[in-house]
Amino acid sequence: MRKYVIMGVQGSGKGTQSQLLCEAFDMVHISVGDMFRWHVQNHTKLGAQVKRTMAAGELVGDDEVESVVRGRLEQHDWNYGFVIDGFPRNARQAEFFMESFDIDAVIHLEIPDDEVRRRVLSRRLCPNCGMDYNLIADRPEVDGRCDICGHELITRADDTPEALDARLRDYHEQTTPVLELFARKEHVYHVDAGPPAKEVHATIRKLIGLPM
Ligand SMILES: [Zn+2]
């Protein structure tokens, strides 16, 4: 059984890399962001709490994050292992996590802040059908129009340069101590997240010793 932690800022391709690894090795992708979205969509008690927190522009609290992760890991449906993303968020959670689980490796996707800005600020969304676009990698056929339904594309409300800079600051503040703590006890692999997703995936497999 393999257990990996994947870390990387928004726009680093963390979700894509987690999925590629999980598909190749039958592991379970445990994404804290996806779990919260599920709770919001399914109107659970936790979902209501999360929605209020996010509406106030705040980060979901550590207690909520921990209880969601603990609940998910207790389901024990990860016979071949898991890749967890969005956890741990701070040194305390990292300590708890390392004590409870024998982590095989920590994968840190590295990408300069300027590249994150370029990627994130080029995202567009169709408010009608929910289709995602990216003006760099995934342009619509007609400028500013959805390929599927023809509706005008919009920018997400929180994809402004100011909001993104605040998220980047928070990310670095939270992540640096976690990476330092992991580096003392676990294998931390720093991976350049700049190249196309397939290349990054191949690099990760080589580094953590998984066959191609
Ligand atoms: Zn559309």
Side-chain angles (χ1 to χ4, degrees):
M1 192 194 297
R2 305 169 182 280
K3 301 181 215 77
Y4 301 108
V5 173
I6 194 161
M7 297 178 71
V9 72
Q10 171 191 33
S12 64
K14 197 168 40 132
T16 306
Q17 294 305 327
S18 303
Q19 272 160 12
L20 288 171
L21 272 179
C22 288
E23 276 164 23
F25 298 98
D26 250 333
M27 295 183 287
V28 172
H29 178 202
I30 299 179
S31 158
V32 174
D34 286 350
M35 287 191 286
F36 281 141
R37 272 186 287 277
W38 184 89
H39 280 281
V40 171
Q41 276 159 7
N42 289 280
H43 306 284
T44 66
K45 199 174 153 201
L46 178 67
Q49 216 173 314
V50 168
K51 214 171 156 181
R52 272 199 304 274
T53 310
M54 294 199 301
E58 285 160 21
L59 274 178
V60 179
D62 286 340
D63 291 346
E64 284 86 17
V65 173
E66 276 170 47
S67 81
V68 152
V69 169
R70 200 171 291 135
R72 182 65 190 83
L73 288 168
E74 277 166 5
Q75 290 174 20
H76 290 289
D77 60 344
W78 32 276
N79 297 331
Y80 298 100
F82 59 77
V83 177
I84 188 162
D85 104 47
F87 188 87
R89 296 205 304 194
N90 56 41
R92 189 177 66 107
Q93 290 173 348
E95 295 265 21
F96 146 78
F97 199 54
M98 282 191 292
E99 277 164 23
S100 315
F101 295 96
D102 192 15
I103 302 298
D104 290 284
V106 177
I107 301 155
H108 178 221
L109 294 176
E110 289 187 307
I111 181 167
D113 284 357
D114 278 344
E115 177 62 13
V116 174
R117 287 189 192 96
R118 200 176 75 94
R119 290 186 185 187
V120 171
L121 298 178
S122 66
R123 295 198 296 204
R124 295 294 180 274
L125 168 76
C126 174
N128 186 45
C129 72
M131 192 65 189
D132 284 310
Y133 295 88
N134 186 295
L135 302 184
I136 305 165
D138 202 4
R139 297 188 68 89
E141 277 175 36
V142 177
D143 268 355
R145 293 272 159 200
C146 178
D147 291 347
I148 313 284
C149 71
H151 198 281
E152 197 177 340
L153 301 180
I154 58 160
T155 308
R156 284 168 210 274
D158 60 349
D159 279 355
T160 63
E162 296 74 28
L164 179 59
D165 279 350
R167 292 204 295 275
L168 280 168
R169 242 189 342 265
D170 284 348
Y171 173 79
H172 291 302
E173 252 170 49
Q174 288 185 346
T175 308
T176 308
V178 173
L179 279 171
E180 283 168 1
L181 187 73
F182 274 142
R184 271 185 255 141
K185 295 177 185 168
E186 313 280 348
H187 296 289
V188 178
Y189 297 101
H190 300 278
V191 179
D192 177 6
K198 284 217 167 97
E199 282 175 44
V200 175
H201 176 61
T203 306
I204 292 173
R205 275 163 89 148
K206 206 184 294 167
L207 281 172
I208 63 180
L210 290 174
M212 286 308 284

